[in-house]
Amino acid sequence: MTFMPAAADVTRVSRRTVPPTWLVVALACAGQFLVVLDVSVVNVALPSMRSDLGLSASGLQWVVNAYAIAFAGFMLLGGRAGDLYGRKRMFLAGLALFTLASLGGGLAQDDWQLLLARAVQGLGAAVLAPSTLTILTSAVPEGAARARAIATWTAVGAGGGAAGGLVGGVLVDVLSWRWVLLINVPVGAVVLLGSLRWLMESRAGDGRRLDLPGALLVTAGLATLAYGISQTEAEGWTAAATLVPLATGLALIGLFLAVEARTAAPLMPLGLLRLRSVASANAGMFVSGSAMFCMWFFMTLYAQNVLGYTPLEAGFALVPSSLAVVLGSKLAPRLMRTAGARTVAVLGTLVAATGFGWQSTMGADGAYVTAIMLPGILMMLGAGLAATPLAALATSGAAPGEAGLVSGLVNTSRTMGGSLGLAVMSTIAAARTGGSRTPQALTEGYALVFRTSTAVLLAGAVLMLLWLPRKTAATSEASQASETPCEFRRST
């Protein structure tokens, strides 16, 4: 079944103050757009950040990963906090922290200040993001309207990641790299004020305490793993500087699982993973995220470092891809009606793999249409097609009181897969280039990344085909959604 607010959920707004449903959906989607946008918006600004703050190649990677790891590592905690202490309260707290950290990052004068601000941004996003989905599902009635709203939320999230290149390019060219962070301040303030006025409070209300040790262990474990992978670029896979953090990260994750198995109120109830829909869809999210996340990073570097595009030109070059991911997300519910969630997820992954395979044929003098636009459209159309059914399947079997937790798990799987995938792919690219910065050498490194990602996506498609359930309630909701595309906009 799809999750709904628990019977014990408390709504503290009187009936006459209930806002139109479309407004609640808009505010929730705005919060999701901001946090996903910031995963990718810095990509086109990386060369400018490097020259201004003296960042190393690994430092550039950590501008992206400091955010992504904190985001993914604390998202389970953020989801559980929303269930226990109120989804609106956590939405507001996360958005406020995210906005303040954006201000700090935009004013950073040293590399460590920027990295710290990005990590705090990620923490704020981790508190904010799970509440966006649970607020949405609490406000929209079960059935076609809710499935359509989830598809919109998915499309907005995908569009946030896709729009990062264009938004970042415009801001860097017209103003400076600092504005890719500072722009969040006025936007965050507007969303914060609107949310204070219109969002309703709800919670599971079971009185359990947060599992802070679990959150710290999983975040430390994942961050240490990512650091160990990044060390392979300079030290190799057999050096102590690589093996020690890798072993430590695995040990911390093992300790996290042991703690979760014994604590009375675990951050990640391991029983959830016994649900086929939850386990398989999150595995699919992790695998596909490890490839998809890298696309924006390496495409912007290829456009600027090899083809000589300006940040603005690089951003505009990815506009067709941005539109394709939104189109794929919106088409998915209609296709799910006739083909089922599993089939659409597999189809989307195969379409994306085709685009990645095409992109791996890139050359140092590639033409825009064949070297960026067309393969980019296939990559992101497939990403959009796969994301909606995977999100619907992942949330289809959870109990009402676990809504925030499962929402956090969905985002965690996708983002953590992307963060670890970026660390691995950056190492692969660096090993292939051998330290050379010539356009030909860089192209060979980037091409190898896309070939590797193609293999990962093909493996992911097989995994989904064999493991994802055939039918869920989410599938039937999605099938109705395409027949009533505007229902979720109606006021409750």
Side-chain angles (χ1 to χ4, degrees):
M1 65 177 181
T2 52
F3 58 80
M4 294 184 62
D9 276 13
V10 178
T11 301
R12 303 190 185 281
V13 180
S14 67
R15 178 67 180 174
R16 66 168 178 257
T17 64
V18 172
T21 303
W22 68 263
L23 182 57
V24 177
V25 172
L27 288 170
C29 288
Q32 177 71 357
F33 182 85
L34 275 177
V35 300
V36 177
L37 177 75
D38 256 62
V39 175
S40 62
V41 72
V42 299
N43 285 338
V44 295
L46 292 175
S48 300
M49 291 176 175
R50 183 174 190 172
S51 60
D52 193 14
L53 298 180
L55 287 162
S56 63
S58 62
L60 286 182
Q61 178 186 325
W62 280 97
V63 171
V64 178
N65 268 352
Y67 179 89
I69 290 173
F71 183 25
F74 282 103
M75 213 176 314
L76 293 177
L77 185 69
R80 175 58 78 198
D83 286 339
L84 300 184
Y85 303 134
R87 284 78 183 249
K88 175 181 177 178
R89 182 177 299 172
M90 291 300 104
F91 184 97
L92 296 175
L95 182 57
L97 182 60
F98 178 87
T99 303
L100 290 173
S102 298
L103 177 63
L107 300 177
Q109 299 301 309
D110 293 299
D111 54 356
W112 68 267
Q113 294 173 355
L114 176 61
L115 296 181
L116 177 61
R118 289 287 288 167
V120 177
Q121 263 192 314
L123 177 59
V127 176
L128 167 62
S131 294
T132 64
L133 185 54
T134 48
I135 285 172
L136 183 148
T137 55
S138 297
V140 182
E142 187 175 11
R146 181 180 294 179
R148 187 67 183 183
I150 290 176
T152 299
W153 177 87
T154 302
V156 167
L166 176 59
V167 172
V170 171
L171 292 173
V172 172
D173 257 22
V174 176
L175 298 169
S176 78
W177 67 262
R178 296 182 181 279
W179 280 95
V180 302
L181 300 173
L182 292 176
I183 192 64
N184 292 327
V185 178
V187 176
V190 170
V191 178
L192 193 65
L193 291 174
S195 302
L196 276 168
R197 172 69 180 86
W198 292 112
L199 291 184
M200 297 180 295
E201 186 61 280
S202 66
R203 60 172 64 90
D206 56 10
R208 287 181 290 177
R209 297 196 306 177
L210 284 176
D211 177 21
L212 186 58
L216 294 176
L217 283 171
V218 71
T219 303
L222 293 172
T224 306
L225 267 181
Y227 175 75
I229 294 171
S230 70
Q231 285 294 96
T232 62
E233 181 177 334
E235 305 291 342
W237 285 95
T238 59
T242 299
L243 294 177
V244 170
L246 287 177
T248 302
L250 291 174
L252 287 170
I253 291 174
L255 184 58
F256 163 73
L257 295 175
V259 167
E260 298 306 281
R262 289 169 173 77
T263 187
L267 176 67
M268 175 67 250
L270 300 183
L272 268 181
L273 298 180
R274 297 191 187 100
L275 295 172
R276 182 179 177 183
S277 60
V278 174
S280 59
N282 275 281
M285 281 282 194
F286 183 90
V287 173
S288 61
S290 67
M292 303 294 188
F293 189 81
C294 301
M295 181 269 189
W296 303 110
F297 184 85
F298 287 104
M299 288 290 278
T300 52
L301 291 180
Y302 171 62
Q304 293 184 72
N305 293 341
V306 176
L307 301 183
Y309 289 18
T310 66
L312 182 59
E313 290 170 340
F316 273 112
L318 295 175
V319 167
S321 305
S322 305
L323 297 176
V325 73
V326 175
L327 176 64
S329 298
K330 301 301 286 183
L331 282 176
R334 184 177 296 275
L335 295 177
M336 289 163 65
R337 177 183 60 182
T338 55
R342 182 180 70 173
T343 300
V344 176
V346 172
L347 173 64
T349 304
L350 291 175
V351 171
T354 302
F356 273 83
W358 187 347
Q359 190 64 57
S360 71
T361 65
M362 65 176 70
D365 56 352
Y368 167 68
V369 172
T370 56
I372 291 181
M373 188 182 80
L374 293 179
I377 287 174
L378 285 177
M379 284 187 277
M380 290 298 102
L381 178 65
L385 285 172
T388 297
L390 285 175
L393 286 166
T395 57
S396 65
E402 309 292 343
L405 174 62
V406 175
S407 301
L409 184 58
V410 169
N411 281 304
T412 296
S413 299
R414 178 170 50 195
T415 308
M416 204 63 246
S419 182
L420 292 176
L422 178 58
V424 172
M425 298 301 178
S426 296
T427 299
I428 289 172
R432 184 58 177 263
T433 60
S436 174
R437 299 289 299 172
T438 65
Q440 185 60 44
L442 291 173
T443 300
E444 290 177 1
Y446 301 153
L448 181 58
V449 164
F450 283 98
R451 283 197 295 275
T452 306
S453 296
T454 302
V456 170
L457 288 172
L458 291 174
V462 173
L463 175 72
M464 294 175 201
L465 182 63
L466 296 177
W467 195 6
L468 289 176
R470 289 179 178 272
K471 294 181 180 180
T472 66
T475 303
S476 62
E477 287 180 15
S479 70
Q480 300 171 52
S482 58
E483 298 171 1
T484 55
C486 297
E487 183 177 340
F488 76 89
R489 296 189 182 95
R490 300 174 187 163
S491 169
T492 56

